Amino acid sequence: MGGSSKKYLQTLLEITSKNDEGFYLVGGSVRDHLLGKDGSDFDFTGQNVAKIARRFASENKSPCVPLDDTPGRETFRVIIEKRFNFDFTDMQGNSIEEDLAQRDFTINAMAIRLDDFLEDKKTFIDLKQGQSDLKNGIVRVMPGNIFSADPCRMLRAFRFAGTLNFEIEAETLHKIESQKSSLEKTAPERIYNEWLLFLGSQPVYSLLRLMDQTGLLECVLPETKELQETALDTVKHLEGLIPNPETILAHNSPLKIFTGKKTALLKFAGLLYQLMPSPSGDFSIAGGKLDEPSKIVQLLKKLRASNADIQFIYRTILCRVMAADSNLSFAGEKIDESKMYQFVKNNESELIPGIFLACAVESALAKERGTTTDEFFQAAYRVSEFYFQRYLPAMDENTLLNGDDLIRHFKLSPSPLFQVILEQIEEARVLGTIKSKNEAEAVAKKIIQTQQVQ
């Protein structure tokens, strides 16, 4: 417990000192405290939390945000200094023991009175050996109808196993296997949120295998049932590449590419990439639209993913398809700079995650093909080198010509020819074959003359 948080907890104790039923630190806050984590999130339960939360917020001149206004389950959050979250939830039942009995896992079903916590006492209320399970690294469901009361807790078991690097207890796995079908009763938004929190932990490959064995993975992603083997291997290789990006990224490029949510979305793309068929054309296809009837888009919309998440996953997979379709041959020992530029330009926003996915897929397929990934990885390295050392710096510079210049200098009217001219000039500028406005005008003049001859 840090010194800054202690003064706020002391204020809270003064507010709750006359609470006859006691006021308790509970759940994840107790778990993290016992794990030695100096957290910034504190969860409390007791009676009359609405009154307590509002007074606590007023005392600290901080906002009090209602999170749940259900009678008997009211929950409020007080945010202090933008770095401390204090959550207050009505006690479930007539005692702290009744409240804890309704929680999900033994490691989350512990509490301690606020006054004892501040005095650093060890008087934890621990109904089902949560401290022992913490010590032994075990996720164990509480007795009773815990999963049937909230099926999303089955996914949460895997999330805690991933984030804490714990094992899921055998009987808990058995209950998940027997109750997995009840997940369909859960709101898609909750499934998606829990799913991303799980995928965001590192690593999750072995847990995905375990989830597959219980049948829960099929309940989350029924569309990928027949594709799981290669998809799971792809996630395994992604989890090897993400912490070691220098394998495929130029040495002077930013190495912390994937953090937080984007790590989860990239792994999700690894599980879904086989739902996108390979194109019949070449790698330079411009990229999909979100409204086209893609299985990937449909699946993500069913899970209520945001448009931003859908775009990231879709375009990451699309970049991988383009990379596989071309085999990145334009980035071999003899580089085709024009095709390199077009590939980077077409995939700009999701280029790096797409390259990571492409390399992970190649790694997963290499064994069954009897091939190596050396040439593909070297080509991916050259793509990233071009992107970070030439393309991005060029994007920070001004263009040489724009539409107004074409109208003023060449007396052109707006037409599709504008785009042809400007795109060719921009490519030449980025590749360094032209460097001045005069050179750009000469290129434009040549294109116009060619078009007039045709």
Side-chain angles (χ1 to χ4, degrees), residues 80-284:
I80 299 180
E81 297 180 6
K82 295 184 179 180
R83 64 191 182 105
F84 293 116
N85 290 332
F86 296 84
D87 287 357
F88 303 83
T89 303
D90 277 328
M91 185 180 292
Q92 302 304 293
N94 297 317
S95 67
I96 188 61
E97 289 78 13
E98 288 186 22
D99 181 283
L100 296 178
Q102 299 178 55
R103 293 179 180 262
D104 49 13
F105 306 104
T106 59
I107 57 175
N108 295 331
M110 295 179 284
I112 184 171
R113 285 180 63 102
L114 177 56
D115 50 353
D116 287 352
F117 179 70
L118 282 167
E119 293 175 15
D120 202 24
K121 293 182 179 179
K122 307 301 178 184
T123 54
F124 296 100
I125 302 168
D126 183 357
L127 299 184
K128 295 294 178 180
Q129 299 182 320
Q131 292 176 84
S132 175
D133 283 345
L134 269 184
K135 182 179 179 181
N136 295 312
I138 294 173
V139 177
R140 187 193 312 271
V141 70
M142 289 287 285
N145 63 342
I146 302 303
F147 288 148
S148 58
D150 183 359
C152 204
R153 288 168 168 169
M154 292 185 285
L155 275 176
R156 199 173 299 156
F158 285 91
R159 191 243 294 182
F160 282 124
T163 55
L164 298 174
N165 195 24
F166 280 14
E167 293 184 0
I168 303 175
E169 179 255 349
E171 181 59 26
T172 300
L173 286 172
H174 177 70
K175 289 182 178 180
I176 290 173
E177 185 174 6
S178 64
Q179 299 181 47
K180 60 182 182 293
S181 60
S182 64
L183 189 66
E184 66 184 24
K185 301 175 185 177
T186 304
E189 296 89 340
R190 294 191 62 220
I191 293 175
Y192 183 67
N193 180 64
E194 200 65 55
W195 176 244
L196 287 190
L197 289 173
F198 162 64
L199 289 180
S201 55
Q202 176 87 356
V204 298
Y205 168 72
S206 60
L207 289 170
L208 278 169
R209 285 279 182 196
L210 192 59
M211 188 184 291
D212 190 28
Q213 291 169 19
T214 65
L216 187 63
L217 183 56
E218 182 183 339
C219 293
V220 179
L221 302 175
E223 297 87 346
T224 66
K225 179 182 178 182
E226 306 301 325
L227 309 173
Q228 291 299 358
E229 190 62 31
T230 304
L232 291 176
D233 283 345
T234 297
V235 173
K236 178 181 179 181
H237 287 288
L238 275 173
E239 293 192 322
L241 288 171
I242 291 171
N244 303 288
E246 65 278 358
T247 308
I248 53 178
L249 293 188
H251 293 304
N252 60 347
S253 61
L255 295 185
K256 291 185 178 179
I257 300 295
F258 306 112
T259 57
K261 188 177 182 180
K262 285 196 173 179
T263 299
L265 293 174
L266 177 58
K267 293 179 193 177
F268 201 1
L271 292 171
L272 300 180
Y273 81 92
Q274 293 171 92
L275 294 177
M276 182 182 289
S278 296
S280 56
D282 65 23
F283 73 93
S284 63

Side-chain angles (χ1 to χ4, degrees), residues 362-393:
E362 288 299 309
S363 298
L365 295 175
K367 186 176 181 180
E368 61 184 72
R369 290 175 176 171
T371 59
T372 68
T373 60
D374 292 350
E375 288 187 11
F376 193 87
F377 274 43
Q378 289 168 8
Y381 183 94
R382 295 185 188 105
V383 171
S384 76
E385 189 173 44
F386 175 86
Y387 176 66
F388 287 115
Q389 297 180 16
R390 296 180 63 184
Y391 185 84
L392 287 182

Side-chain angles (χ1 to χ4, degrees), residues 212-450:
D212 190 28
Q213 291 169 19
T214 65
L216 187 63
L217 183 56
E218 182 183 339
C219 293
V220 179
L221 302 175
E223 297 87 346
T224 66
K225 179 182 178 182
E226 306 301 325
L227 309 173
Q228 291 299 358
E229 190 62 31
T230 304
L232 291 176
D233 283 345
T234 297
V235 173
K236 178 181 179 181
H237 287 288
L238 275 173
E239 293 192 322
L241 288 171
I242 291 171
N244 303 288
E246 65 278 358
T247 308
I248 53 178
L249 293 188
H251 293 304
N252 60 347
S253 61
L255 295 185
K256 291 185 178 179
I257 300 295
F258 306 112
T259 57
K261 188 177 182 180
K262 285 196 173 179
T263 299
L265 293 174
L266 177 58
K267 293 179 193 177
F268 201 1
L271 292 171
L272 300 180
Y273 81 92
Q274 293 171 92
L275 294 177
M276 182 182 289
S278 296
S280 56
D282 65 23
F283 73 93
S284 63
I285 55 177
K289 297 179 180 179
L290 295 182
D291 59 355
E292 64 184 57
S294 159
K295 290 182 180 179
I296 295 169
V297 172
Q298 290 171 1
L299 183 154
L300 292 170
K301 285 185 175 180
K302 186 180 74 174
L303 287 172
R304 306 290 194 271
S306 68
N307 283 338
D309 289 0
I310 293 174
Q311 177 167 305
F312 180 91
I313 291 173
Y314 187 92
R315 289 192 57 80
T316 293
I317 295 173
L318 186 61
C319 179
R320 177 265 153 188
V321 169
M322 295 181 192
D325 194 51
S326 66
N327 201 33
L328 297 183
S329 58
F330 58 86
E333 290 187 10
K334 186 176 180 180
I335 295 175
D336 185 327
E337 289 204 332
S338 179
K339 288 188 174 181
M340 176 85 86
Y341 168 81
Q342 289 298 326
F343 179 82
V344 170
K345 178 177 178 291
N346 288 337
N347 294 287
E348 182 176 3
S349 58
E350 276 73 42
L351 174 73
I352 298 304
I355 289 296
F356 268 74
L357 177 59
C359 288
V361 173
E362 288 299 309
S363 298
L365 295 175
K367 186 176 181 180
E368 61 184 72
R369 290 175 176 171
T371 59
T372 68
T373 60
D374 292 350
E375 288 187 11
F376 193 87
F377 274 43
Q378 289 168 8
Y381 183 94
R382 295 185 188 105
V383 171
S384 76
E385 189 173 44
F386 175 86
Y387 176 66
F388 287 115
Q389 297 180 16
R390 296 180 63 184
Y391 185 84
L392 287 182
M395 292 300 103
D396 289 334
E397 299 172 357
N398 294 326
T399 57
L400 297 176
L401 281 185
N402 57 38
D404 290 338
D405 294 325
L406 295 180
I407 294 171
R408 183 172 54 255
H409 190 80
F410 295 100
K411 312 302 181 185
L412 289 180
S413 299
S415 69
L417 181 59
F418 268 46
Q419 185 175 358
V420 173
I421 295 172
L422 295 176
E423 285 183 352
Q424 288 190 30
I425 288 174
E426 182 66 359
E427 177 179 334
R429 181 186 73 83
V430 173
L431 296 180
T433 55
I434 62 172
K435 298 181 180 180
S436 69
K437 188 168 185 176
N438 287 339
E439 289 175 314
E441 289 174 348
V443 170
K445 182 178 181 180
K446 185 176 180 181
I447 295 172
I448 294 169
Q449 291 173 340
T450 302

